Amino acid sequence: MIFLNLGHQPLANNYTNKKELSKKKKYILTVQYQKKNNLISIKKKFKSKIMFNNKYPYRSSLSKTMRKNFKDLAKNLINKFHPKKILEIGCNDGVFLKNFNSQVTVGVEPCKNIADLIKLKKINVHKNYWDLKLANKIKNKHGKFDLIYSANTITHIKDLDIVFRSINQVLSEEGILVIEDPSLLECIKNVSYDQFYNEHIYVFSLISLQKILKKHKLEIFKVENLNVHGGSNRYYIKKSMNKKIRINHSVKQNKIKELKYKLDKFITYRKFGKNVKESKRKLKKLILDIKNKKKSIIGYGATAKSVTVMNYCGFKSDEINYFVDTTPEKKNKYLPGTNIIVKKYKINSLKNIDYVYLGAWNFKNEILNKERKYIKKGLKFITHVPYPRII
Ligand code: DWN
């Protein structure tokens, strides 16, 4: 049941030297609700091979917030679970795994250009897609794992059955699986429709994930609500047959929260669809009013999320003059599907700028803190989350 149409969209991380793609090279991004398991997914699902290749531009380690998030988590996991063997699915540039000194530290990262950034010998990297073949290969080489971690990756893989069957192959009987992804509840509450793009095939709620895991005899025993990436959930999961671990009260609490918000009812998503249209109308008005006053607006953080917003709202370089971003791979390329160029972020990038659209709104605190000198001089930031406004 479709509840949202975000129009013609490109692949969100397909940075090229080409200005605006023709409609033919875009696809129509719609989002649907599956009643059976309360699962939200985008309708057109792309294969991993098309999205994650040797030109993938996203590096997890470029933000201070994320480096800290991963470091703190690693410390906690070591203290609580004392893992001897750890596996990370979607390890990106090794920002999480580098914090471990376990006997066996294995990473899976199919984007070769990103995996090649991992220079630490202690991390054993498999540059492949996560599936049964790879799981078996890893099991034959390293045996089973007592800790498996995956952040912002499971929701990016089309076939969830294969994902969890493969995990079951390599997770030891008393092993712990920890996964971390944007929270559907936060996305709905904050009208952050830009969490939907080709890579985010699914946006999980606890209630949907519980149903999917049950089929694989896996069970969530704890949920942590995180601020990262606009509100994420960290799920701690065990094999159902492992009765040594008790179910933490956070599971029930989160379930109550989601049901109170009616995440199991289609009407919630229909309402969200209407809120998204209203958000677009207000953001366009806000931006056009500023442009009518002949002020400059640039974007900050060329995120995958910004690609959804720019293409959905139809913004071009007349409205958002250019984006600045710290990622070397995005430099001097066009924000996918638009004629807006991405420039390398420099310490004085915001000098003489009137307004900044916060593409990386999920790093609001980090960025506003970094740019406080310009804010004091009158620079203004614009965001659309939870509603379009000047901060
Ligand atoms: O799930 C995903 C998330 C984790 O990462 C992927 N599918 C793709 C990607 O999504 P995104 O591009 O929306 O992620 P971020 O982490 O919101 O991207 C932040 C962008 O902003 C990066 O390109 C780096 C940039 N940035 C910057 O230029 N200056 C970020 C910060 C904090 C800064 O100070």
Side-chain angles (χ1 to χ4, degrees), residues 350-361:
L350 306 189
K351 200 177 165 188
N352 301 327
I353 300 292
D354 302 312
Y355 289 85
V356 176
Y357 167 72
L358 197 50
W361 53 266

Side-chain angles (χ1 to χ4, degrees), residues 58 156 197 199-200 229 304-305 325-327 330 362 370:
Y58 184 75
H156 294 51
Y197 51 91
E199 292 176 16
H200 284 185
H229 289 303
K305 297 182 285 293
D325 195 286
T326 49
T327 315
K330 296 179 184 174
N362 42 319
K370 196 156 65 175

Side-chain angles (χ1 to χ4, degrees), residues 367-379:
I367 293 171
L368 295 195
N369 188 33
K370 196 156 65 175
E371 308 300 347
R372 60 186 183 278
K373 179 176 119 194
Y374 293 107
I375 297 172
K376 271 191 194 146
K377 286 186 183 162
L379 173 80

